[in-house]
């Protein structure tokens, strides 16, 4: 009677990941840091609201949010010559250490009365300068530690931890802001990055250095993508997908606020439903490893757009919220599958540079789409913008699926 549960656990796609001798020491630190990031989603904007001039709050909140993410793209390009020869664990640790230092300076300056809104934005930008390299380091290390068949499950574990942080981090941040203010939450976030840095400095064996012959060119990752049609197509698909989703961040709050009653709790319900769906999607991702990866990836984009349609069509609230949850269910599988395709297709010795280049391009997509959301909402209306976003994503998925099928047909004729 007791053997069956043990067998079912040991055959789980996640068992090789969570029992790996190195990963089981790294995952707790990654979890703590992810929770800090989940809290920072609320705290970064809230502190900007507190310290920005009242007449310019909207502008500074947007700048603070952008600074916390976009400088990583610049770091991926400008620091390639220096960082491309570093080991994956060191990339993660240095990113975490820089984040801890820059973010830790924010509450210190705030306590001393020295924190202007301009300095705040500069410190946020500095904190994320190495983030593309840190992300590349995590997924490169995962690819080196696990056999290829376990890459998808490993990616899903990291994605699942991130999804959980988006569910529990924001309400925890809200409670802590009431208790000690937004600067306190940012101080805690900085402390979680110290934990992550210590974890990767101490828990990874010394033999995780760069592969022999790794290029030191700052553009090596972009060169790999440019000369690999599959990776170039995947990056283009991801960029357009994320860009088309960006207007939702502008249109959805306005659609909810303009609707009957328009309670703020309804907006929270949409985001919570998406987050809960993402957690479930992360759990399911590891079981998708037998699916053909390219058709699954393009099919996810198509289905994502279809699940967003009810909101754009003005469906009843319950139907729209369920559609958001279903879309959230698909988000982690897409991220994990697309990362696994990079892990399989890029040369192992250039994987950190390639993943950093991919991250640099992707990180620009959602902010660009969000920026386009303003004019779209002004010109079309909030609900209509949601509809355009959903239809465009579905059409993108359909076109990508057709392109993949056509490429396979051409290869079949050549063979």
């Amino acid at each position: 009677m007791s053997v069956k549960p043990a067998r079912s656990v040991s055959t789980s796609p996640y068992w090789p990941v969570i029992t790996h001798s190195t990963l089981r020491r790294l995952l707790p630190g990654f979890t703590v840091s992810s929770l800090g990031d989940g809290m920072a989603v609320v705290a970064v904007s809230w502190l900007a609201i507190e310290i920005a001039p009242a007449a310019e709050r909207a502008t500074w909140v947007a700048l603070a949010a952008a600074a916390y993410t976009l400088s990583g793209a610049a770091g991926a390009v400008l620091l390639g010559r220096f960082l491309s020869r570093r080991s994956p664990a060191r990339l993660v640790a240095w990113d975490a250490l820089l984040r801890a230092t820059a973010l830790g300076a924010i509450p210190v300056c705030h306590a001393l009365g020295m924190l202007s809104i301009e300095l705040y934005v500069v410190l946020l930008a500095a904190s994320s300068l190495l983030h593309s390299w840190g992300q590349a380091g995590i997924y490169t290390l995962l690819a080196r530690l696990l056999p290829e068949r376990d890459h998808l499950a490993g990616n899903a574990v990291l994605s699942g931890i991130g999804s959980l942080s988006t569910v529990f981090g924001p309400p925890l941040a809200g409670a802590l802001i009431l208790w000690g203010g937004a600067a306190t939450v940012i101080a805690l976030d900085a402390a979680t990055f110290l934990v992550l840095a210590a974890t990767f400095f101490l828990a990874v064996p010394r033999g995780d250095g760069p592969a022999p012959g790794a290029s030191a060119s700052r553009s090596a990752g972009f060169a790999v993508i440019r000369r690999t049609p599959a990776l170039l197509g995947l990056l283009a698909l991801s960029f357009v997908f994320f860009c088309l989703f960006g207007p939702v961040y502008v249109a959805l709050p306005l659609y909810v606020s303009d609707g009957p009653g328009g309670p703020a709790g309804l907006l929270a319900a949409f985001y919570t439903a998406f987050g809960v769906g993402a957690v479930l999607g992360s759990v399911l991702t590891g079981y998708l490893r037998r699916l053909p990866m390219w058709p699954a990836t393009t099919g996810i984009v198509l289905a994502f757009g279809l699940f967003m349609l009810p909101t754009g069509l003005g469906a009843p609230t319950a139907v729209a919220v369920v559609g958001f949850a279903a879309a959230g269910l698909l988000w982690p599988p897409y991220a994990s599958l697309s990362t696994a395709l990079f892990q399989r297709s890029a040369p192992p010795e250039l994987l950190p540079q390639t993943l950093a280049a991919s991250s640099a391009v992707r990180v620009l997509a959602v902010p660009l789409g969000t920026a386009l959301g303003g004019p779209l909402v002004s010109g079309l209306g909030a609900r209509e913008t949601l509809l355009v976003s959903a239809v465009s994503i579905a059409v993108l998925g359909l076109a990508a699926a057709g392109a993949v099928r056509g490429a396979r047909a051409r290869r079949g004729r050549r063979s």
Side-chain angles (χ1 to χ4, degrees), residues 205-311:
R206 292 292 182 181
D208 79 311
S215 171
S217 168
R218 72 173 59 178
S219 61
F222 291 100
V224 170
I225 294 172
R226 191 168 54 249
R227 65 174 178 258
T228 310
L231 295 184
L232 185 60
L234 177 60
L235 186 57
L237 174 64
S238 298
F239 181 85
V240 178
F241 177 26
F242 297 160
C243 187
L244 291 175
F245 183 69
V248 172
Y249 289 107
V250 178
L252 184 62
L254 294 173
Y255 173 66
V256 169
S257 64
D258 292 342
L266 179 56
L267 179 61
F270 273 98
Y271 287 137
T272 300
F274 192 94
V276 171
V279 171
L280 295 176
S282 297
V283 173
L284 294 174
T285 299
Y287 296 91
L288 304 179
R289 58 185 178 184
R290 289 187 175 88
L291 293 179
M293 297 186 74
W294 265 108
T297 302
T298 56
I300 284 172
V301 177
L302 171 59
F304 189 96
L306 296 178
F307 285 135
M308 297 287 292
L309 275 176
T311 308

